[in-house]
Amino acid sequence: MSVAKKQYKRITVKSLIEMKANKEKISMLTAYDYTMAKIVDAAGIDVILVGDSASNVMAGHETTLPITLDQMIYHASSVIRAIERCLVVVDLPFGTYQGNSKHALESAIRIMKETGGHAVKLEGGAEIEQSISRILTAGIPVMGHLGLTPQSIYKFGTYTVRAKEEEEAAKLKEDALLLEKLGCFALVLEKVPAKLAQEVAESLTIPVIGIGAGAGVDGQVLVTHDMLGMTHEFNPRFLRRYLDLYSEMTNAFKQYIDDVKSVDFPNDKEQY
Ligand code: KIV
């Protein structure tokens, strides 16, 4: 179903806050390269996230921890060359902002200067307050990320739903309020109970974008390669697959191999 919505020529952080106020849901997907970003942007997405999930999806690492700032800059600058309309948010990778706010600012400045990205995303709440504040003082928009924060996977031990217990839920609510107070323009909530996510969204004026956080938030984000069905070994409950590209691509590759072996390809019209 297509939904009536205000036409934006370019999406800015202000547009997202306006969308929340107008009860228009925000759409966000990941992209890490020029070709994918061009298709996603032309389809009309509101936000592209150059996620550190590139560490898993593009580089095949088990976690998001190994990806470097230089690698994120390479991915983000490829995405920026492709887009015309959407807002591009770039993840600050693990080890580039925790513990030292000066270092955090330097990392964020590199992202903004060397990629042309529009905002950065950081994982965590009170423990990274100084880093967030310092980045914001330089005029760089910050998106927060609470709930399941994959850069802390070795602290959690598993990728299961977070904040099911009262104590963790209370800390998450406090952190969400703090991020809004500090000046973050939006917040990602990953893999938390839908009721808690809705409560958080209703308590904030900035948009809350969920992944595995139910329908009561202000927008949704998925990893593009997952929703296209390219990564078929990953099957969380929250993931809706819009295509089965793993099978489609496998069939195309097999057909190509057969065509080459049987000299069906190239035919007379496919040569000079
Ligand atoms: O890196 C990423 O793709 C993310 C999303 C899962 C929100 O942070």
Side-chain angles (χ1 to χ4, degrees):
M1 191 182 66
S2 171
V3 187
K5 52 186 196 254
K6 178 172 165 185
Q7 296 300 314
Y8 289 93
K9 241 177 124 191
R10 280 217 78 126
I11 304 289
T12 64
V13 295
K14 288 252 156 60
S15 324
L16 300 188
I17 290 168
E18 194 179 279
M19 284 180 189
K20 170 157 179 154
N22 293 338
K23 299 198 178 337
E24 175 182 342
K25 298 282 184 185
I26 296 163
S27 60
M28 173 157 130
L29 282 171
T30 58
Y32 321 109
D33 68 300
Y34 176 86
T35 305
M36 187 70 89
K38 205 160 183 67
I39 301 171
V40 173
D41 180 58
I45 203 77
D46 297 316
V47 185
I48 284 183
L49 172 66
V50 185
D52 60 357
S53 50
S55 179
N56 313 105
V57 177
M58 302 306 280
H61 292 297
E62 207 177 304
T63 72
T64 57
L65 276 66
I67 199 160
T68 65
L69 189 57
D70 284 338
Q71 287 164 341
M72 288 302 295
I73 287 170
Y74 168 77
H75 288 298
S77 45
S78 309
V79 166
I80 283 291
R81 283 192 285 275
I83 63 104
E84 287 180 11
R85 176 183 172 273
C86 68
L87 184 83
V88 177
V89 180
V90 185
D91 266 339
L92 282 190
F94 176 69
T96 65
Y97 61 92
Q98 297 96 338
N100 180 338
S101 63
K102 210 161 159 259
H103 182 211
L105 178 59
E106 281 161 10
S107 305
I109 286 176
R110 279 202 65 200
I111 294 276
M112 302 302 280
K113 258 190 190 301
E114 297 178 39
T115 75
H118 310 136
V120 294
K121 177 164 81 59
L122 283 68
E123 296 182 5
E127 52 294 327
I128 56 159
E129 179 177 347
Q130 285 179 3
S131 293
I132 293 175
S133 294
R134 199 152 194 164
I135 293 170
L136 285 165
T137 57
I140 300 172
V142 174
M143 177 181 269
H145 184 155
L146 298 173
L148 177 66
T149 45
Q151 291 179 13
S152 307
I153 188 57
Y154 291 113
K155 184 176 90 183
F156 299 141
T158 73
Y159 286 98
T160 51
V161 181
R162 303 305 316 169
K164 288 209 295 201
E165 307 302 331
E166 192 40 53
E167 199 182 328
E168 195 179 335
K171 156 102 170 77
L172 188 146
K173 285 190 225 171
E174 269 172 36
D175 279 341
L177 288 170
L178 174 68
L179 293 182
E180 171 164 278
K181 196 169 134 226
L182 291 176
C184 290
F185 72 92
L187 170 63
V188 165
L189 269 191
E190 180 164 352
K191 244 181 157 181
V192 298
K195 191 165 161 284
L196 171 65
Q198 179 164 355
E199 255 180 69
V200 171
E202 285 170 357
S203 72
L204 302 181
T205 55
I206 59 168
V208 174
I209 301 179
I211 174 163
V217 289
D218 308 301
Q220 299 293 328
V221 54
L222 285 175
V223 169
T224 298
H225 291 66
D226 295 337
M227 62 85 82
L228 292 178
M230 292 172 88
T231 48
H232 70 146
E233 62 289 322
F234 178 64
N235 278 308
R237 186 204 296 199
F238 67 78
L239 175 60
R240 183 179 294 183
R241 292 198 193 283
Y242 289 81
L243 286 174
D244 179 9
L245 273 195
Y246 185 90
S247 304
E248 297 268 329
M249 290 171 77
T250 302
N251 290 339
F253 297 144
K254 284 186 171 162
Q255 186 63 56
Y256 170 74
I257 294 163
D258 280 354
D259 290 352
V260 169
K261 301 271 180 200
S262 65
V263 202
D264 179 82
F265 174 78
N267 65 24
D268 289 350
K269 289 191 190 136
E270 291 163 333
Q271 54 189 295
Y272 301 98

